[in-house]
Each structure stands twice: as C-alpha cells, then as structure tokens.
Amino acid sequence: MNPVSLAFAYLAERPLATLLITLLLALGVGTISALLSFDHQFRERLLREARTVHLVVGSKGSRLQLVLSSVLHVDYPAGNIPWNEAALLLDHPAVSRAIPVSLGDSVGAFRVVGTTGVFLEAAGAHLASGRAWDGTFEAVLGATAARELGLEVDDVFATTHGVGTGGPEHGHDNYTVTGVLAPTGGVADRLVLTSLESIWEVHDQPTPTAGNGDAAARNGGNTAGPRARQDAEITALLLTFHSPVSMLRLAPEIDRHSAMITASPAVEIGRLFALLAPALDVLRGFGAVLMAGAALAVFTTLTAALELRQRDIAILRALGAVRTWTAGVLLAEALILTLAGTLLGFALGHGALAVIGNVIPEAGNAGLSGLVAAPGEAWLFLAALLTGLVSAGVPLLRASRASLSETLARN
Amino acid sequence: MHLVECQDVSHSFPGAPELPLPDLAIGTGERVVVTGPSGSGKTTLLQILAGLLPPTRGEVRVAGVDWASLTRNDRDRRRGRTVGIVFQSFNLITAISVLDNLRLARRLAGHPQDDELCRGLLDGIGILDLAHRAPARLSRGEAQRAAIARAVSGEPKLLLADEPTSALDAGNAASVTGLLLERAAASGAGVIVTTHDERIAGMFDRRVQLGCGP
Ligand SMILES: Nc1ncnc2c1ncn2[C@@H]1O[C@H](COP(=O)(O)OP(=O)(O)O)[C@@H](O)[C@H]1O
Ligand SMILES: [Mg+2]
C-alpha cells in the first residue's frame, strides 16, 4: 500500500465516474490535438510544395484550383494547355526548372501523372527498386500507391479515365511497372508516374512530328523526353525560377498574351489559409470549449470526491500519514485520471486523422497522417496535466483546514 | 516516566460548557478502562490522548512527548508510530480490502510488510475469511473486529479503543476484549478502553470514571 496504489483503489471504487472523466477529457484533448496536428500538417505540407514550385502555368480558370490539382494533387484540373505553347517556356532563360504534368487518368484511388524525369529530381524521390520509365506504357509507382495497389516491378496494370474510381478503363493491362519509389513523405508517395507520351498515346492524341525536338533535347535526361506534337496537350507546367524578379516579370506576360494563366502556389496557399482561417478558428474554439468543459468536469468531480475523501484523509493522518503522503494520494489520483484522459485523447485525435487520411483519398493525397505531432500539442499536454494538478490542489487545501477530530468522530 | 501523563486538561467546544478531564498517569503495559454515560467526554478524552484534538487547557504527554510541542506533520507521524486507535465509528478505508487496511496501517506505523502477522491478527479475531472483502460489505460486528485488528497491526505502544464492543453480543464482547488485551500484552502496550459495558469493565487493571455516577 502506497499513495499510488491507494489512488488506483479509489479510481476502481467508482469505475463509472472514472470512465466518464477520462472520456470527457479524452474528447476535449482529442479534438484539440487533431485540430492542431491537422493545421500543422496542412501548413507544413502546403508550404513545402510552395517552396519548390514558384509558378504553375495551366488552362484558364481558377488559380487556386490549378495549384490544388497540379501541385498538391487534390482538386480536379479545369482543362489542358497546348504542349507546343507550354514547351516554349522550357527554354526560357529565367526558368531554372520546368516540370510538365499531364493529369486525368487514375489507377484505383491513385492519380496517374504524365511527366518527365525532372519530376523525380524535384520531389527528391529515389527508386527503391527497378528503374525509371523509358518510353511509353512504363510507369514508376510511389511507395504508398505500390503498396496499396499490390503492384511490384514487372507487374502490369490498366488505367481508367478520370480522377478517382469508376471511369471507363483504357484497354487492359497496358502499363508495366518499371520501378517503385522509396517513401518521400510527399505527394509522390501516392502517384503513378509515367511519360507524357503514355498519356498522349492512351488518349489517341496525334502521333509525334519529328524534327521539332528543341524541348526534347532539354528534357531528355535519363528518361524519354517528350517529343513535341502538333496538337498534344498537357495539364500544367510547374516552373521554378532563378530569381523572384524574373518570375514577376514573366507571369503577367503569360497571363496577358497567351491562352494560359499562371498561379503562384505561395499566393494561392496564402489565400487558402485566409479562406480556411475562420473555419479553423470555429473548430478550435469548439475544441477549447470542450477542453474547458472537460477541465471543469475533472475539477468538480475531484472536488466532490473530496467530500468523501475528507474522511479518508483524516483516517490516513490518524494512522500516521504525513502531508506528502496524503497529498500524494490525491495528486496521484488526479494525475492518473488526467494522464489516461490525455493519452487516450491524443490516441483518439491522431487515430481520427489516420482514419481520415486512409478513407478520404484527397486527405491521403495531401499527406495527412496520424503520426505527426504539432508543437502546440506539447502545450496541450502540459495544460491538461496542470488542470489535474490544480484540481487536486484545491481539495488538498480544504482538507488541510478540516478538523481531524470532528471528521473522525462522524458516523 | 509514565506512558501517558495528563494534567489539568479540559476542553471547551465552541458554545458548550468547559469539559474537565481527569488527571491520568498510566504506566507501560497498564490496562485502564474509562466508563461514563453517553456525553461524559469519553471520545473527547481519547482524541486528546491520541493527539487528534488539541485540548484548550492542560498538557498531555505520551511516552514523554507533549503533543502540543510537535508540528502537525510530526504529530501525525508520531501518532502512527506509537498509538493504535479503535474508533467508535470504525473508520475503515472503504476503497481497499480488510487485509489492505491492516497492511496500510502497518506501513504508516513504519513497520515492514508482514502478511503473516496481519493474517494471524484476522484469524485470531475470527475474520480471516473476510480478509479480501471490502469494508462496506461487513456487518457492524465484523467491521468492529477489523478495526481492532487494524489498531494492533502497527504494534503500538499505546492502544486506545473507543467502545470497541458496542456492536458485539455479550459472549463476543468478552472474548474480543480478551484478544485485544492479549495483543497489547504481547507487545507490552498500554491500553485505554472506553465503554459503558459493565461486563467487560472488570477485565482491566484500573477504572476511571467520567461524569456523574459511581
Ligand atoms: N465537535 C463538537 N462540538 C461541540 N460539542 C461537542 C463536539 N464533540 C463533542 N461535543 C460535546 O462534548 C461532550 C462530550 O462528548 P463525547 O466526548 O463524544 O462523549 P462520549 O464519547 O462520552 O459520549 C458532549 O456533551 C458532546 O455534545
Ligand atoms: Mg463517544
């Protein structure tokens, strides 16, 4: 028998109250931790993508949608742009890196991206097995996509038209897996990458016209470069510039003098944050109210328990327990409750994020994971523990003022 | 040096007349019974002797130490190590088993754990089969026995018992009192028992009468 085992005995004596407080606290902590982690991951993820891509060029429409679909792979693309027009930008002296992306097909829940080898380089992706695609109908799979589709090197698969499931199938098993990427922690994990030609071939776009090979020379690399085609299209071009100034000069020019528009991921993501801020604030406020409610419940329940515990504290003192011993019992009880509630809350909050990341493809594509802790969660943990300690402190103070003899003489 | 010395002690509860208490000098191993009608101050006397209630006047020494000279914390610690108390209302801790009540009292008295001794005490007082039962599920008589076993489990120098046979029938009252006195004798403890049960009053070395009456 020590203060901690006695505290456990008290908690076991009224299991329903113990369960209720734990759950109440867990709900509050869970909601807040899920919000904090979501907010944190969302920002980190978006900002990371925004750092590597300075400007997206795509078809006229919503700039936000362009960034979401072509950079973050969450929204649907609005349309395509002519490849020969986009290809001109590949050679622009201000551009340090240009990644063409061609979207519109999928394999199961995973998006197919027609692109060039530069994509892998920019994503910092390395092959875990096999080799890069080379020519048409060869594909490299992101780590998550490969695992969940159950595909390995040399396996064959078919793509369907449209993003998401349910579109008409393009032939059968026309693609071969040539490589699988090591996990990057970014969007590449959930993509199926292939050459631009594969996409064109699948959609019966015109055959290559030989000779117009300027762009091909630039983008050849170790994979087959896109051969320019007269009427071929891509979805967007992701550009990185040598300097911000040159970007600011080029972007308005494209907007004005072509059928394409430009979007800056940094600007669009900033607008997205601004758009979502009130919603996140409401959720956060809701979490704070829950948390305060849970804290109040813990506080009042412990204070109420004291009315029963007054006598036991007096008995313990009569039996020879010193102040640290009796304080230890109440503190242990409060800490066990708050720790259990808080840890259960973190498990619930992060479990919910993991489930959301697995169930909703868009959330998964955005890289939502249950395993990322936001710095704010450390504060949440401390705040919860502090609530427990204060809840124990007030009853202790009252107990130390109660009359020992009167309490013990009560029937 | 006497085990218990009590001089010119009286206590005034707020709004009540002063309650004078007898001078006492009780030796080591001596067994005293305190009798008196209800309200005569038996419980108050025991609480003052146990250092649970500071008297408004007078000095109480147990094993040579004046309770009033100690801090609250030291008083609690010293009580645990020198005094065993059987409360009139038992005061068992309801969240833990009977056996755990004994273990706890022994630990707070500063003794190493000794389950054999604790079980022996429960066996001697006839409730070994209730060792793992929650105190709330004991009859009054069983709870009283458990309270007595707990009071001696810490091997106190002074055993104070407040009407320890009130919930027992005549036959059991005598045997339980006998057991209590035997345990006290085994560890050389002094005993002060309050009662208004004339049947057990004769089992003690000395009798102190409170209030009016013989
Ligand atoms: N906390 C208290 N406040 C006021 N009066 C009390 C209190 N405790 C006891 N008394 C009074 O002190 C007297 C002695 O009480 P007590 O020691 O309990 O007597 P006994 O144990 O002999 O029945 C009684 O008159 C009782 O009413
Ligand atoms: Mg009494």
Side-chain angles (χ1 to χ4, degrees), chain B residues 87-128:
Chain B
F87 294 95
Q88 196 168 1
S89 50
F90 316 141
N91 281 332
L92 295 168
I93 292 190
T94 55
I96 56 177
S97 70
V98 170
L99 180 60
D100 277 341
N101 265 275
L102 268 64
R103 287 177 175 147
L104 178 65
R106 197 171 158 76
R107 155 147 193 180
L108 288 173
H111 293 295
Q113 189 171 333
D114 187 343
D115 274 6
E116 213 170 307
L117 180 141
C118 291
R119 285 176 190 281
L121 289 173
L122 292 175
D123 197 16
I125 211 158
I127 53 167
L128 182 58

Side-chain angles (χ1 to χ4, degrees), chain B residues 1-78:
Chain B
M1 185 186 71
H2 286 102
L3 176 62
V4 176
E5 288 169 282
C6 197
Q7 263 183 356
D8 286 330
V9 174
S10 68
H11 190 74
S12 306
F13 286 108
E18 187 173 48
L19 185 67
L21 294 169
D23 289 349
L24 291 174
I26 296 168
T28 309
E30 198 173 356
R31 302 165 317 171
V32 177
V33 65
V34 179
T35 54
S38 191
S40 58
K42 301 185 295 294
T43 298
T44 304
L45 175 65
L46 288 192
Q47 287 197 327
I48 287 172
L49 293 178
L52 290 168
L53 177 67
T56 41
R57 202 159 59 82
E59 198 182 275
V60 180
R61 293 174 175 274
V62 172
V65 176
D66 181 2
W67 286 122
S69 71
L70 301 174
T71 63
R72 192 196 104 163
N73 233 14
D74 288 342
R75 209 155 48 225
D76 288 345
R77 185 187 289 114
R78 184 176 169 78

Side-chain angles (χ1 to χ4, degrees), chain A residues 103-107 159-170 202-203:
Chain A
L103 306 170
D105 287 347
S106 54
V107 186
T159 58
T160 52
H161 188 65
V163 174
T165 45
E169 223 168 82
H170 292 305
V202 165
H203 293 95

Side-chain angles (χ1 to χ4, degrees), chain A residues 68 90 107 109 187 247 369 400-401:
Chain A
L68 290 177
L90 298 179
V107 186
V187 280
M247 177 180 96
S369 149
S400 75
R401 289 191 185 142

Side-chain angles (χ1 to χ4, degrees), chain B residues 140-154:
Chain B
R140 273 186 58 80
E142 289 163 348
Q144 191 152 51
R145 290 165 196 251
I148 292 168
R150 185 180 69 179
V152 293
S153 69

Side-chain angles (χ1 to χ4, degrees), chain A residues 1-2 6 9-10 13 311-312 315-323 325 400 404-405 408-411, chain B residues 47 52-53 72-73 76-77 79-80 85 87 89 91-96 100 104-105 107-109 150:
Chain A
M1 277 288 123
N2 54 50
L6 193 56
Y10 283 133
E13 198 187 15
R311 188 188 194 101
D312 279 15
I315 298 171
L316 287 171
R317 285 185 55 194
L319 292 176
V322 291
R323 211 181 264 116
W325 217 96
S400 75
L404 203 50
S405 57
L408 290 170
R410 254 185 256 151
N411 273 310
Chain B
Q47 287 197 327
L52 290 168
L53 177 67
R72 192 196 104 163
N73 233 14
D76 288 345
R77 185 187 289 114
R79 181 189 316 110
I85 311 166
F87 294 95
S89 50
N91 281 332
L92 295 168
I93 292 190
T94 55
I96 56 177
D100 277 341
L104 178 65
R107 155 147 193 180
L108 288 173
R150 185 180 69 179

